[in-house]
Amino acid sequence: MRFTKVQGLGNDFILINGLEEELRTINFSGLAVEMCNRHFGVGADGLVLLLPSDKADLYMRIINSDGSEAEMCGNAIRCVAKYLFEKGLVRKEKIEVDTPAGIRVPELLLDAGQVRAVRVDMGEPRLERLEIPMAGPAGQVVDEPLVIDGIEYRITAVSMGNPHCILFVPDLEKVLLNALGPRVETHEAFPHKTNVEFVQVLSRDEIKMKVWERGAGLTLACGTGACAAVVAGFLNGYTGRKVTVHLTAGDLNIEWAEDNHLYMTGPAEEVFSGDYPVKEN
Ligand code: ZDR
C-alpha cells in the first residue's frame, strides 16, 4: 500500500490515501501501531486516513500511535490540505474536511503557486465540563485543582473536538513531562483520557508550549493543543486572543476570533512516500 510521510513542526504522520486505494478490509488500529513504531515501522505520531465523504471534500480519520482513535488533529489537517493540493486532488484554496469532530476548513496560503503555509478554521472551542469530557458538576473548568499523588495542580480544560488539559507553569524546562504527562492523560477525571499541554506565558501575545499527547506520548507539536492553550490563556486572563505559540520546532499563530472560531496558521511538509506491505485481516 502506498503511504506518504508528512510533518507539521515535527508532529509526524503517515497518510494513507483511501480516495485512491481500497481500504475496507484493513484493521487500522493494528496498522497504526505497526507503522508508527519508530524502530520496527515507518515511525510517526499517528496514522491519517483520507476517505471519501458526501458532506465535504473528504473525511479524515486519525489513529494515534497506540492504536486509539482521535476526533481531530490540527497539524495533520494542514499536511492533508497541502498534500491534496499538490497532488491535484483538490483544485481550490479552501478545502472542507469532515472529521469525527465535525467539518474543519483548511485554507492554503500560496506564494507564486507554492503552499507557503496553511490557515485552518478549527471551529469553536467547547468549554462545558461534560463536553470535554470531564467528570464533575456542570460549568467551565478554568483554573481548577487536580490532585495527583497528593500534589495539587491547577488546570483548565478545553475541547477542540478532542480533549485538552492545560497547565500553566513558570518554567517549561523544569517540567517532568514524561512523569506528569501520562498521569494527567489517564487521570480518572477524564473518561476519554486527555491531551496535556504545559504552557509558559511569555507575554500577552506569546506563549511557549510542550505537549504530552493522548495515545502518542511526547510529541514535538500539537495544533488542537495550541488552540486550546490560547483559549485557556485568554480565559485565565494571561493572554489576548491573538497569540504566537512557540513549540520545540517552530511557531503556530493562533487567533480566537470574534466569530468564536479558532484560526490556526502554520507550516506543513511532505517528507517521503513509499510502499508498505499490509497483511489483510
Ligand atoms: C495534538 C494533535 N497532534 C494535533 O496536532 O492536533 C492531535 C492528535 C490527536 C491526539 N493525540 C488525540 O486527541 O488523541
Side-chain angles (χ1 to χ4, degrees), residues 195-263:
N195 295 288
V196 189
E197 283 80 26
F198 298 94
V199 175
Q200 183 181 342
V201 178
L202 302 179
S203 71
R204 304 255 337 140
D205 53 16
E206 256 183 294
I207 62 176
K208 245 167 81 174
M209 183 182 112
K210 292 204 173 173
V211 58
W212 176 271
E213 268 190 45
R214 177 182 67 169
L218 213 50
T219 65
L220 291 183
C222 175
T224 49
C227 293
V230 171
V231 170
F234 183 81
L235 293 177
N236 281 280
Y238 297 142
T239 67
R241 300 178 76 108
K242 212 171 164 181
V243 178
T244 300
V245 181
H246 300 298
L247 294 142
T248 309
D251 298 345
L252 287 173
N253 291 305
I254 308 292
E255 181 178 5
W256 188 9
E258 294 305 322
D259 63 3
N260 196 31
H261 285 226
L262 271 301
Y263 293 88

Side-chain angles (χ1 to χ4, degrees), residues 11 13 45 62 64 68-76 78 122 162-164 194-195 197 211 213-216 219 221-226 264:
N11 193 193
F13 305 95
D45 295 326
I62 309 107
N64 289 315
S68 63
E69 185 149 2
E71 301 85 345
M72 219 330 251
C73 180
N75 285 323
R78 294 197 313 277
M122 298 282 281
N162 55 352
H164 293 273
T194 186
N195 295 288
E197 283 80 26
V211 58
E213 268 190 45
R214 177 182 67 169
T219 65
C222 175
T224 49
M264 169 193 68

Side-chain angles (χ1 to χ4, degrees), residues 43-246:
D45 295 326
L47 181 70
V48 174
L49 306 172
L50 311 184
L51 300 165
S53 162
D54 45 20
K55 283 212 301 219
D57 292 309
L58 75 149
Y59 187 75
M60 176 176 92
R61 283 180 63 190
I62 309 107
I63 324 277
N64 289 315
S65 54
D66 75 349
S68 63
E69 185 149 2
E71 301 85 345
M72 219 330 251
C73 180
N75 285 323
I77 203 170
R78 294 197 313 277
C79 297
V80 165
K82 186 176 184 221
Y83 170 90
L84 292 173
F85 185 79
E86 289 181 344
K87 299 283 174 282
L89 296 169
V90 168
R91 294 193 184 279
K92 51 190 182 179
E93 285 162 36
K94 273 193 183 182
I95 302 171
E96 294 205 328
V97 182
D98 196 11
T99 72
I103 293 180
R104 300 290 184 267
V105 187
E107 177 183 0
L108 300 158
L109 304 181
L110 301 175
D111 211 345
Q114 303 292 312
V115 179
R116 176 176 56 78
V118 184
R119 179 176 194 258
V120 187
D121 178 348
M122 298 282 281
E124 300 185 274
R126 281 184 267 155
L127 303 174
E128 266 299 316
R129 187 189 300 267
L130 257 177
E131 290 185 302
I132 303 296
M134 195 178 161
Q140 297 185 357
V141 184
V142 178
D143 192 29
E144 188 171 286
L146 186 80
V147 177
I148 296 171
D149 297 335
I151 300 173
E152 186 180 293
Y153 297 90
R154 308 293 300 184
I155 63 153
T156 298
V158 175
S159 168
M160 286 305 305
N162 55 352
H164 293 273
C165 175
I166 296 98
L167 291 88
F168 291 95
V169 298
D171 184 352
L172 211 44
E173 302 313 317
K174 295 210 171 110
V175 179
L176 300 173
L177 295 163
N178 286 312
L180 191 52
R183 299 301 306 277
V184 181
E185 178 195 4
T186 59
H187 194 284
E188 60 188 7
F190 296 96
H192 294 179
K193 301 191 186 168
T194 186
N195 295 288
V196 189
E197 283 80 26
F198 298 94
V199 175
Q200 183 181 342
V201 178
L202 302 179
S203 71
R204 304 255 337 140
D205 53 16
E206 256 183 294
I207 62 176
K208 245 167 81 174
M209 183 182 112
K210 292 204 173 173
V211 58
W212 176 271
E213 268 190 45
R214 177 182 67 169
L218 213 50
T219 65
L220 291 183
C222 175
T224 49
C227 293
V230 171
V231 170
F234 183 81
L235 293 177
N236 281 280
Y238 297 142
T239 67
R241 300 178 76 108
K242 212 171 164 181
V243 178
T244 300
V245 181
H246 300 298

